[in-house]
Amino acid sequence: MAAKKIGILTGGGDCPGLNAVIRAVVRRAERDNLEVIGIRNGFLGLIEGDVEPLTAFSVIGILPKGGTILGTSRVNPLRSVEDKQRVLSNIQRFGLDALIVVGGDGTLKAAYDLYASSAVPLVGVPKTIDNDLRGTDYTFGFDTAVNVVRDAVDRLHSTAESHHRVMVVEVMGNTVGWIALAGGMSGGADLILIPEKPYRLEEMCAVLESRRKRGRAFSVVVVAEGAAPAGHPLPADVGRGTSTGVGYRIAAEITSRLGIETRVTVLGHIQRGGSPTAFDRILATRFGLHAVELCLRGQFGYMVGLQGTKVVPVLLEFATAGPKSVALEQYAEAEIFFG
Ligand code: F6P
């Protein structure tokens, strides 16, 4: 049955582009005279019945705004039998024929479980600065975060050069290194450390030492929060929103092994804030439009994904089966510029 009334929620960590999705969903739905209900604070709003009608008027001027007008939370709707029951009865109570869930791995995994266990008619939209969802070349939010890192690396280069220092920049990315790789490559970092390629302190110091011998006493090192030395597990606190301390550990080693002065910058939530880039605005908008199309076709249990230049349906089960990691061949492209 084609959807007449669509609910939309944004869950998990926020990122730039969420409002662009909401705007696109509302505007596309209007074309087919569908009603749209905004659910506040992710799945928490479905548990508590906290909703608001969304109209074209509600979404005026939100395209360039960071964050989400609906609010978000990391609440898992399956945390208890009672909560799951509340979610199911609120879907009935609000008369939702379809639910658009905008989220990262945690939110979309919960969405998939709701779909698989209770046939909730839902469609996912992949959001995260980490770019770690399978079945889509890019998630929206990633490009904006990468540009924040690129800008930071550009700025740190000049001060590193003046003071002949090593600047270590710790970036987000959870258990994968997409932000570090793309942010570091675009800023011309001298070394990039990612979780997919455990680092060796001797090799890292050899790179910096060879630069010094060539008269380049300064360096900029980009470190993913999940990076770990060879033979060690990923930092236990990765993905918790506080520094894993890996940037500080690397800097201390550089100072003690090479005697070079170091400084550390932890970019943190700056990477998640602000206005989305043009790329993210367009991607988020296209995702929103295609999510409504899937609802109209009754194609539930899928997420929209970007493959090449096309937006395609991807099984949620596949998308959430595990993180999309950086391939070592791609990391090797960046390694050419190390040192
Ligand atoms: O998944 C997005 C992300 O920003 C990760 O890169 C980071 O590790 C985590 O969320 C931070 O979580 P919180 O929003 O709870 O601080």
Side-chain angles (χ1 to χ4, degrees), residues 15-322:
C15 79
L18 287 165
N19 287 324
V21 178
I22 297 168
R23 168 180 174 267
V25 165
V26 171
R27 297 286 296 273
R28 175 64 189 81
E30 202 181 35
R31 279 294 166 99
D32 278 64
N33 297 316
L34 311 178
E35 249 183 275
V36 180
I37 300 293
I39 297 152
R40 295 200 189 95
N41 303 321
F43 279 114
L44 183 65
L46 260 191
I47 293 168
E48 295 180 340
D50 188 4
V51 302
E52 61 183 303
L54 292 178
T55 63
F57 185 74
S58 329
V59 298
I60 289 172
I62 68 170
L63 176 64
K65 286 181 71 178
T68 161
I69 59 164
L70 290 174
T72 185
S73 72
R74 290 195 187 275
V75 169
N76 185 335
L78 305 171
R79 64 187 176 183
S80 70
V81 179
E82 293 74 28
D83 280 350
K84 181 177 174 185
Q85 201 41 55
R86 282 189 199 108
V87 165
L88 298 178
S89 58
N90 277 328
I91 289 173
Q92 293 278 314
R93 179 176 146 218
F94 299 123
L96 302 180
D97 306 308
L99 178 65
I100 294 178
V101 178
V102 190
D105 57 342
T107 304
L108 292 185
K109 179 83 179 63
Y112 172 66
D113 290 346
L114 275 176
Y115 168 76
S117 65
S118 306
V120 173
L122 56 81
V123 165
V125 176
K127 151 270 35 156
T128 166
I129 63 166
D130 303 333
N131 196 34
D132 60 352
L133 279 160
R134 293 183 188 179
T136 186
D137 295 345
Y138 292 103
T139 54
F140 72 85
F142 171 66
D143 186 63
T144 308
V146 167
N147 274 287
V148 171
V149 177
R150 194 261 316 138
D151 181 56
V153 172
D154 283 350
R155 288 167 189 274
L156 289 167
H157 257 117
S158 60
T159 173
E161 189 163 11
S162 311
H163 287 269
H164 319 293
R165 284 172 173 159
V166 172
M167 294 294 192
V168 177
V169 194
E170 185 185 308
V171 304
M172 283 185 168
N174 211 337
T175 59
V176 298
W178 291 107
I179 297 177
L181 182 69
M185 269 186 101
S186 59
D190 305 301
L191 195 57
I192 301 168
L193 305 179
I194 62 171
E196 292 86 342
K197 176 91 187 264
Y199 63 83
R200 294 182 188 280
L201 289 167
E202 315 75 56
E203 288 172 11
M204 187 189 79
C205 289
V207 166
L208 301 179
E209 188 55 20
S210 89
R211 269 179 67 78
R212 183 156 66 173
K213 288 206 175 110
R214 283 186 289 115
R216 311 291 277 165
F218 74 95
S219 297
V220 178
V221 179
V222 175
V223 187
E225 62 174 333
H232 290 258
L234 298 194
D237 45 357
V238 71
R240 299 233 181 106
T242 50
S243 167
T244 57
V246 63
Y248 289 96
R249 288 195 287 280
I250 296 282
E253 291 290 347
I254 294 169
T255 305
S256 81
R257 288 172 184 242
L258 300 176
I260 306 178
E261 201 177 23
T262 56
R263 292 290 185 270
V264 180
T265 303
V266 178
L267 287 177
H269 292 79
I270 288 172
Q271 295 159 96
R272 290 236 302 260
S275 185
T277 58
F279 181 89
D280 277 339
R281 292 182 197 194
I282 294 167
L283 182 61
T285 298
R286 294 184 69 203
F287 278 169
L289 297 177
H290 283 262
V292 176
E293 298 289 344
L294 292 189
C295 294
L296 284 167
R297 292 209 296 265
Q299 198 171 351
F300 301 119
Y302 284 80
M303 163 191 105
V304 290
L306 182 73
Q307 294 181 3
T309 57
K310 290 198 168 58
V311 178
V312 297
V314 176
L315 280 169
L316 271 174
E317 183 178 16
F318 171 76
T320 59

Side-chain angles (χ1 to χ4, degrees), residues 320-339:
T320 59
K324 178 184 71 180
S325 305
V326 173
L328 290 183
E329 307 87 74
Q330 196 169 340
Y331 181 69
E333 295 169 359
E335 281 179 309
I336 300 290
F337 301 92
F338 293 177

